[in-house]
Amino acid sequence: MKFLHTADWHIGKKLHGFSLLNEQKEVFEQLLTVAQKEKVDAIVIAGDLYDRSVPPAEAVRLLNEMFYQLNIQHKFPILSISGNHDSATRLETGTPWYQEMNFHLQTTLNKALFEGIKLKDVQFFLLPYFEPVDARIFFEDETLKTHDEAVQRTIEEMKKNFDPSFKQVLVSHFFVAGSQRTDSETEVTVGGLDNVSSHHFKDFHYVALGHLHHPNASKHLLIQYSGSLLKYSTSEAKQDKGFRLIDIAKDGAVQNQFVSVHPSKDLLVLENDFSTLLDPQYYQTIKKDQYIFARLTDTRMIPNAMDRLREVYPNIIGMERLNRAGLMNHIQQLKHKDQQLLAPDKLFAVFYEGVTGKTLSQKQEEIVTETMESIQKEEE
Amino acid sequence: MKFLHTADWHIGKKLHGFSLLNEQKEVFEQLLTVAQKEKVDAIVIAGDLYDRSVPPAEAVRLLNEMFYQLNIQHKFPILSISGNHDSATRLETGTPWYQEMNFHLQTTLNKALFEGIKLKDVQFFLLPYFEPVDARIFFEDETLKTHDEAVQRTIEEMKKNFDPSFKQVLVSHFFVAGSQRTDSETEVTVGGLDNVSSHHFKDFHYVALGHLHHPNASKHLLIQYSGSLLKYSTSEAKQDKGFRLIDIAKDGAVQNQFVSVHPSKDLLVLENDFSTLLDPQYYQTIKKDQYIFARLTDTRMIPNAMDRLREVYPNIIGMERLNRAGLMNHIQQLKHKDQQLLAPDKLFAVFYEGVTGKTLSQKQEEIVTETMESIQKEEE
């Protein structure tokens, strides 16, 4: 049994205001090509299909189209769950009809979930993201306070239905204790209360997880995150993005191959001083139309920095001043340069010098003084 | 061929802030019971399934459940379209899978639409609500400016595929010229530009429409609105609500039977004076927990009228003063009763008399005067 393990599509997510729908489509197409070439027996998608509980209409259109291509056009069985970013209720639409086509999308705790879905020689258990309160209601058990307790309980129920003539695979969307977070995954409870112990998963042949965006977030060989298909935060800029091909042999041995995907516009973090970034010698080595995030090392003030960077890097998504302490120090120096700084026209002169690198001309000084005087008059 | 014709479910709609989900469920169950008893061959739902393009989650849950019951549980074929209140994109989710179960939900103009869907001896054409601009894009024809022109064009295309060995039924969601509006249907263009001529429909055996909420909104025997299943506005309070059973005989003759539905809490408009509405002799004849809208005939001021009415009618949704001219006249009279009205304490005394019917006591007058004085002091 060979299946493709992916997760965290976050369809509709924007990167600093930039729509990623095109990139999401591109990497999906790469995934689809591999699925066809490798003739996988199923596609596993471990939650966070959408980025928000109420996704924009164009995101709905794209995900509908992806499911259509995978399941109806190319006849791949799909095994999927909702993540903490999805609305279980909204994502549930259509699921009873999907089943007829071997498209299984589990969004809530219910009895059917504990029976598993048998495909070839594997029994898949689809455990969507849920809150401890959902488990308390479902099991009528007030003692289930944490995600760890709730997940443990659901797995106990699953084990009752383990068919020994099948291999067992769990598809889920939780934070497994000890894994590596990046800053684009929402921590659902404060202080690590959403941690689920990997110990509960030991009886599965493989656990296909979603939630964490780093493909190597988990330390456990048989409990793996696929990672997201795109970089959804500058903190993910250096991560490899893609999906896993999982092959479970008859003897239960698991082969795990990570396949990278590459959108035509990638996310690139450039760390340098402002002049270098605008130097043709430098930027001609870079694919300039990528999503660029600039980390400026300068300590001086730079007026209109974003606009000037955008002239070279049309898809710049943001910038940050790395040497904030240095910059603040520079501003402090300007402030104390002159004892007369408290006079507004003098203060303005220093400010002007700081941001333009030029001093005020005689004429300019007169205009500033006149303006300040007329403002003060109006205040009186 | 016998089918059930319904429309304008508006799942999730609120009536003056009151959720109607329970009532929507009740009347749906009545519809389902009749569908089973009459063994209809299909359920036709002519648009406005939801009330809004982004319906609340509980509305999504209810409509999903209704479709599940109709199509999966009871195996009724469904022929449905989106209306002007629905988001075509959102409602489209799941539709390619629905088709496998004879659940046809058409939300956009596309080629398949013009071929029709053959069920028994009827060819159904599902024409969702669309804007003239959609038709201009789809047909690549800039001359299609109005709904009338756009609908005419779509019907011309359908006619090319009319199979003479079948009867033709159109399911659509437009305003047919000359029909009777109520105030709860959105007029989509100003000045009647959304009018579609009934003339275009003459070659169909029956036209099952949605959009207008009055079941007898259309003057044409074979072009009918089913009306909504509930009263969605006080202007609909006296309308009969339900759906149609349509039976098309082999010779093309159409039988049309309207079946009423009745939620346990109906909408009732009470037009009377305030004292009568609060008189047990009067209200013991009324089912008081219905959705009540009060039309007060009084001309005097009535303080806390809604709160006092709610003590008797717990689900009162609103009230209106019918005799507004009389009420204003009454207030004017109060204003001119005394030349000293401009003194705040005197004005208050007249106001108090107007709303309570009592004069201020000596003690009360003193309190008012003291209060007014201390307010004036604070202002100084």
Side-chain angles (χ1 to χ4, degrees):
Chain A
M1 169 71 161
K2 187 197 269 187
F3 62 89
L4 191 154
H5 166 201
T6 176
D8 295 275
W9 288 8
H10 290 273
I11 303 299
K13 185 174 177 75
K14 291 184 172 183
L15 191 60
H16 294 247
F18 282 76
S19 166
L20 295 175
L21 288 172
N22 279 339
E23 287 73 24
Q24 291 177 325
K25 212 174 159 182
E26 284 174 352
V27 293
F28 168 78
E29 278 159 11
Q30 293 172 27
L31 177 152
L32 180 58
T33 304
V34 174
Q36 290 174 271
K37 200 181 133 219
E38 296 285 336
K39 296 187 174 65
V40 299
D41 300 304
I43 312 278
V44 167
I45 317 170
D48 282 0
L49 300 165
Y50 287 120
D51 190 54
R52 292 195 262 151
S53 60
V54 183
E58 56 268 33
V60 173
R61 190 179 293 118
L62 181 57
L63 186 63
N64 284 349
E65 173 64 23
M66 289 167 164
F67 282 152
Y68 180 85
Q69 286 188 31
L70 284 175
N71 184 243
I72 292 194
Q73 220 168 342
H74 297 286
K75 312 287 179 209
F76 288 115
I78 301 177
L79 301 148
S80 189
I81 54 172
S82 47
N84 57 312
H85 279 248
D86 300 305
S87 156
T89 302
R90 293 180 194 278
L91 207 58
E92 200 175 18
T93 299
T95 52
W97 289 265
Y98 297 159
Q99 284 178 28
E100 303 289 319
M101 299 282 285
N102 243 331
F103 172 7
H104 304 273
L105 175 50
Q106 185 77 35
T107 63
T108 53
L109 290 177
N110 62 29
K111 273 184 192 169
L113 175 162
F114 300 108
E115 287 160 21
I117 291 148
K118 291 177 177 175
L119 272 181
K120 293 189 92 170
D121 58 348
V122 171
Q123 191 179 12
F124 286 93
F125 291 87
L126 306 183
L127 184 62
Y129 178 80
F130 62 87
E131 301 285 343
V133 62
D134 302 322
R136 287 200 287 279
I137 292 167
F138 181 77
F139 291 109
E140 298 178 13
D141 180 351
E142 279 301 314
T143 68
L144 303 172
K145 299 291 186 196
T146 65
H147 278 98
D148 190 60
E149 290 162 350
V151 168
Q152 181 175 21
R153 178 63 192 270
T154 62
I155 290 175
E156 278 166 15
E157 290 298 313
M158 289 172 187
K159 283 188 188 168
K160 294 177 188 168
N161 297 309
F162 272 22
D163 184 334
S165 57
F166 283 75
K167 324 283 185 281
Q168 279 73 35
V169 169
L170 177 70
V171 181
S172 200
H173 191 97
F174 286 97
F175 177 73
V176 172
S179 302
Q180 178 193 340
R181 293 192 198 268
T182 44
D183 67 1
S184 50
E185 307 115 5
T186 320
E187 196 167 353
V188 289
T189 56
V190 177
L193 285 180
D194 58 346
N195 282 13
V196 171
S197 164
S198 62
H199 186 72
H200 309 316
F201 301 138
K202 65 182 169 43
D203 294 326
F204 290 95
H205 289 78
Y206 181 73
V207 179
L209 290 170
H211 188 46
L212 299 183
H213 290 190
H214 195 303
N216 300 318
S218 164
K219 306 174 296 188
H220 307 277
L221 266 179
L222 300 174
I223 304 168
Q224 289 281 311
Y225 291 94
S226 63
S228 54
L229 287 177
L230 286 176
K231 298 167 181 174
Y232 287 128
S233 154
T234 52
S235 63
E236 298 177 28
K238 289 186 176 166
Q239 292 176 11
D240 206 2
K241 295 295 179 184
F243 53 85
R244 297 182 179 283
L245 286 173
I246 304 296
D247 201 340
I248 304 186
K250 282 196 179 135
D251 64 358
V254 174
Q255 276 201 331
N256 175 342
Q257 184 196 348
F258 184 79
V259 181
S260 299
V261 294
H262 303 280
S264 56
K265 276 193 244 159
D266 203 355
L267 169 62
L268 195 63
V269 175
L270 301 181
E271 189 172 319
N272 223 316
D273 61 277
F274 190 70
S275 332
T276 305
L277 291 180
L278 294 190
D279 181 353
Q281 292 280 339
Y282 173 80
Y283 65 65
Q284 70 193 4
T285 65
I286 289 166
K287 230 178 116 221
K288 290 181 300 179
D289 69 340
Q290 294 179 91
Y291 295 116
I292 303 288
F293 188 86
R295 289 207 167 117
L296 302 184
T297 53
D298 310 71
T299 53
R300 66 188 177 98
M301 282 199 268
I302 306 165
N304 302 322
M306 268 297 275
D307 289 347
R308 289 158 73 190
L309 286 167
R310 192 173 284 116
E311 283 170 20
V312 173
Y313 309 99
N315 296 314
I316 184 165
I317 61 165
M319 60 162 242
E320 152 182 51
R321 302 298 298 256
L322 268 191
N323 205 335
R324 193 146 283 278
L327 179 66
M328 284 302 154
N329 193 28
H330 176 66
I331 292 171
Q332 285 300 322
Q333 279 174 4
L334 288 176
K335 271 194 182 169
H336 291 97
K337 207 173 168 185
D338 195 318
Q339 286 300 321
Q340 298 219 297
L341 270 177
L342 286 174
D345 50 350
K346 297 287 178 195
L347 189 59
F348 184 82
V350 173
F351 174 74
Y352 184 82
E353 196 187 325
V355 295
T356 67
K358 296 173 195 166
T359 50
L360 287 172
S361 68
Q362 185 73 15
K363 183 73 192 158
Q364 285 174 319
E365 256 183 41
E366 282 169 24
I367 293 170
V368 171
T369 307
E370 273 171 34
T371 309
M372 293 296 177
E373 277 171 4
S374 76
I375 289 170
Q376 276 179 323
K377 254 185 204 155
E378 279 190 16
E379 280 175 355
E380 286 156 12
Chain B
M1 169 72 161
K2 187 197 270 187
F3 62 87
L4 190 153
H5 166 201
T6 176
D8 296 274
W9 288 8
H10 290 272
I11 303 299
K13 185 175 177 73
K14 290 185 173 184
L15 191 61
H16 294 247
F18 282 77
S19 165
L20 295 174
L21 288 171
N22 278 340
E23 288 72 25
Q24 291 177 324
K25 211 174 160 185
E26 283 175 353
V27 294
F28 169 78
E29 278 159 12
Q30 293 172 27
L31 178 153
L32 180 58
T33 303
V34 174
Q36 290 174 271
K37 200 181 133 218
E38 297 285 336
K39 296 189 174 66
V40 299
D41 300 305
I43 312 278
V44 167
I45 317 171
D48 282 1
L49 300 165
Y50 287 120
D51 190 55
R52 292 194 263 151
S53 60
V54 184
E58 57 268 33
V60 173
R61 189 178 294 121
L62 180 58
L63 186 63
N64 285 349
E65 173 64 23
M66 288 167 164
F67 282 152
Y68 180 85
Q69 286 188 32
L70 285 175
N71 183 245
I72 292 195
Q73 220 168 341
H74 296 287
K75 311 288 179 210
F76 288 114
I78 300 177
L79 300 149
S80 189
I81 55 172
S82 47
N84 57 311
H85 278 248
D86 301 305
S87 157
T89 302
R90 292 179 196 278
L91 207 57
E92 201 174 18
T93 299
T95 53
W97 289 264
Y98 297 160
Q99 285 177 30
E100 304 289 320
M101 299 283 285
N102 243 332
F103 172 9
H104 304 274
L105 175 51
Q106 186 78 34
T107 63
T108 53
L109 291 176
N110 62 30
K111 274 184 191 169
L113 175 163
F114 301 106
E115 288 161 21
I117 291 147
K118 290 176 177 176
L119 272 182
K120 294 189 93 170
D121 58 348
V122 170
Q123 193 179 10
F124 285 94
F125 292 87
L126 306 184
L127 184 62
Y129 177 81
F130 62 87
E131 302 284 344
V133 63
D134 302 322
R136 287 200 287 279
I137 294 167
F138 181 76
F139 291 109
E140 297 177 14
D141 180 351
E142 279 301 314
T143 68
L144 303 172
K145 299 292 186 194
T146 65
H147 277 98
D148 190 60
E149 289 162 351
V151 168
Q152 180 175 21
R153 178 63 191 271
T154 62
I155 290 174
E156 278 166 14
E157 290 299 313
M158 288 173 188
K159 282 186 189 169
K160 294 176 188 167
N161 297 308
F162 271 23
D163 184 334
S165 58
F166 284 75
K167 323 285 184 279
Q168 278 73 35
V169 168
L170 177 70
V171 181
S172 201
H173 191 97
F174 286 98
F175 177 73
V176 172
S179 302
Q180 177 193 338
R181 291 192 200 268
T182 45
D183 68 359
S184 50
E185 306 116 5
T186 319
E187 196 167 354
V188 289
T189 58
V190 177
L193 285 181
D194 58 346
N195 282 13
V196 171
S197 164
S198 62
H199 186 72
H200 309 317
F201 302 138
K202 65 180 168 44
D203 294 326
F204 290 96
H205 289 78
Y206 181 73
V207 179
L209 290 170
H211 188 45
L212 299 184
H213 291 191
H214 195 303
N216 299 318
S218 164
K219 304 175 297 190
H220 307 278
L221 267 180
L222 299 175
I223 304 168
Q224 289 282 312
Y225 291 95
S226 63
S228 54
L229 288 177
L230 286 178
K231 297 167 181 175
Y232 287 129
S233 152
T234 52
S235 64
E236 298 177 28
K238 288 186 177 166
Q239 294 177 9
D240 205 3
K241 293 296 178 183
F243 52 85
R244 297 183 179 281
L245 286 173
I246 304 296
D247 201 339
I248 305 186
K250 283 195 176 138
D251 64 359
V254 175
Q255 277 200 332
N256 176 341
Q257 182 196 348
F258 185 78
V259 181
S260 299
V261 293
H262 303 280
S264 57
K265 274 192 245 161
D266 203 356
L267 170 62
L268 195 64
V269 175
L270 301 181
E271 188 171 320
N272 223 313
D273 62 275
F274 190 69
S275 333
T276 304
L277 291 180
L278 294 190
D279 181 353
Q281 292 279 337
Y282 173 80
Y283 66 65
Q284 71 192 6
T285 65
I286 290 166
K287 226 176 120 224
K288 291 179 301 178
D289 69 340
Q290 294 178 94
Y291 296 116
I292 303 289
F293 188 85
R295 288 203 167 118
L296 301 185
T297 54
D298 309 71
T299 54
R300 65 187 177 100
M301 283 198 271
I302 306 165
N304 302 322
M306 268 297 273
D307 289 345
R308 289 159 73 191
L309 286 168
R310 192 172 286 116
E311 282 170 23
V312 173
Y313 308 100
N315 296 315
I316 185 164
I317 61 165
M319 60 163 243
E320 157 181 47
R321 303 298 296 255
L322 269 191
N323 204 335
R324 191 146 284 278
L327 179 65
M328 284 302 155
N329 192 27
H330 175 65
I331 292 172
Q332 285 299 323
Q333 279 176 4
L334 288 177
K335 272 192 180 171
H336 292 95
K337 206 173 166 183
D338 195 318
Q339 287 298 321
Q340 299 219 297
L341 271 179
L342 287 175
D345 50 349
K346 296 287 178 195
L347 188 60
F348 183 82
V350 173
F351 173 74
Y352 184 81
E353 195 186 328
V355 294
T356 66
K358 296 174 195 166
T359 51
L360 287 172
S361 68
Q362 184 73 16
K363 183 74 192 159
Q364 285 173 320
E365 258 183 40
E366 282 169 23
I367 293 170
V368 172
T369 308
E370 273 171 34
T371 309
M372 294 296 178
E373 277 171 5
S374 75
I375 290 169
Q376 276 177 323
K377 254 186 204 157
E378 280 190 15
E379 280 173 358
E380 288 157 13

